[in-house]
Amino acid sequence: MKKLINSPDSVIADALRGMAAAHPSLAVDLENRVVSRAGGVMAGKVGLVSGGGSGHEPLHGGYVGYGMLDAAAPGEVYTSPVPDQILAATKAADHGSGVLHIVKNYTGDVLNFRMAAELAEDEDIRVVSVVTNDDAAVEDSTYTAGRRGVGGTVFVEKLAGAAAEEGADLDTVAALATRVNEATRSFAIALHAGTVPAAGKPGFDLAENEVELGVGIHGEPGRERGTMQPVHDLVGYALDVIHADRPIAGDQLVMLNGQGGTPLIELYGAFAEAVAWIEGHGGTVARSLVGNYITSLDQQGFSITVMSLDDELLRLWDAPVSTPALRWGR
């Protein structure tokens, strides 16, 4: 294992120190491991909190800022943050109008966020939770009952964040987040596994000619092992699965996401194939992201996340955002 770390034990603390130094717009509580907005939140605004295991950067701390999250709780690598940590993030995000928890559908995350919400309610903070489960690959997996929450979480955080900035109340923001999740599907393919620092070796083995079709963001098994194919075929496979689960038609928001170890030149090639597939099936790519937005350490491969857009969702997507990982219009 070759990694730019001091030791496996200090990876997260070192990364949080670096994030604090790189982004003055963030307040990083090293003791509680909470990332929040340095300037606080506008009084009366609904707060947004998310979190999960580290290793998926820029998710979630990279999406703290105007137009997205108010606070994030990063756990150990691939491990849910604990309830007290989530409670601290919830307190940082609360300014009198309640807090939305955006929770990826993994058993530890769901349980710990639920406990944190109960603790927050004891302190008179109203919390509503929305669980993301956009992965079209498998119904149940290593850490999950039901579908996994993956790339669609980025869309939920952006669109719900925009609605909150506009002054929408908690129930309205939660309903929007639910609608975005339901309109979104994702599928991922891995070429090589990522390496958790504490483990010191790749999380799974693939032969030189093998790929994992439907891999999870923690390296969980997908629906099958396949053989390495040209990117045209791999992208087509992913979009065929998504289309069969939720038809792709009309205006689409498309994220072609790297998993941490894939060169951008390859991601752009994959995106070109995605655009051709969608247009060939009668859809239009109205908005897009290409790059690393939800990663799996240094795993090599890609994921595609597709969401159907209407006028309201398009407006909220275009609304100003200013975070370390997403920034436009401000």
Side-chain angles (χ1 to χ4, degrees), residues 201-216:
K201 62 181 181 179
F204 56 91
D205 295 319
L206 287 172
E208 282 299 311
N209 67 335
E210 281 187 323
V211 295
E212 186 73 29
L213 300 167
V215 69

Side-chain angles (χ1 to χ4, degrees), residues 124-263:
D124 296 323
I125 301 173
R126 183 173 176 234
V127 174
V128 175
S129 296
V130 170
V131 177
T132 62
N133 59 354
D134 54 296
D135 194 348
V138 294
E139 187 63 30
D140 297 294
S141 189
T142 309
Y143 308 111
T144 309
R147 296 183 179 218
R148 303 176 293 213
V150 287
T153 309
V154 178
F155 293 177
V156 171
E157 292 177 359
K158 170 62 180 82
L159 293 161
E165 295 291 354
E166 291 182 350
D169 64 27
L170 180 56
D171 290 331
T172 301
V173 175
L176 176 74
T178 299
R179 180 157 68 94
V180 171
N181 177 65
E182 292 173 348
T184 304
R185 294 293 185 274
S186 298
F187 193 88
I189 296 176
L191 312 184
H192 292 286
T195 298
V196 174
K201 62 181 181 179
F204 56 91
D205 295 319
L206 287 172
E208 282 299 311
N209 67 335
E210 281 187 323
V211 295
E212 186 73 29
L213 300 167
V215 69
I217 59 172
H218 310 98
E220 305 99 315
R223 53 173 54 190
E224 62 178 322
R225 290 276 170 97
T227 57
M228 186 64 193
Q229 303 288 335
V231 66
H232 169 87
D233 299 323
L234 294 177
V235 169
Y237 182 101
L239 287 170
D240 284 344
V241 171
I242 291 172
H243 185 60
D245 192 75
R246 192 179 194 285
I248 298 172
D251 287 344
Q252 301 293 310
L253 168 60
V254 180
M255 180 171 71
L256 199 295
N257 173 66
Q259 297 176 0
T262 307

Side-chain angles (χ1 to χ4, degrees), residues 83-84 87 91 114-125:
D84 285 348
L87 176 61
K91 288 180 173 181
R114 183 181 302 156
M115 292 177 63
E118 293 171 356
L119 293 170
E121 296 282 357
D122 290 341
E123 301 194 25
D124 296 323
I125 301 173

Side-chain angles (χ1 to χ4, degrees), residues 228-315:
M228 186 64 193
Q229 303 288 335
V231 66
H232 169 87
D233 299 323
L234 294 177
V235 169
Y237 182 101
L239 287 170
D240 284 344
V241 171
I242 291 172
H243 185 60
D245 192 75
R246 192 179 194 285
I248 298 172
D251 287 344
Q252 301 293 310
L253 168 60
V254 180
M255 180 171 71
L256 199 295
N257 173 66
Q259 297 176 0
T262 307
L264 192 56
I265 189 173
E266 296 178 23
L267 296 180
Y268 278 122
F271 181 67
E273 298 296 343
V275 172
W277 190 102
I278 291 168
E279 291 179 346
H281 288 73
T284 301
V285 179
R287 298 292 187 273
S288 62
L289 294 174
V290 180
N292 285 310
Y293 296 98
I294 172 172
T295 60
S296 302
L297 294 168
D298 53 347
Q299 187 164 291
Q300 187 178 353
F302 70 95
S303 65
I304 300 177
T305 300
V306 180
M307 185 186 76
S308 297
L309 287 167
D310 58 26
D311 290 344
E312 180 188 20
L313 295 179
L314 183 61
R315 178 182 63 79

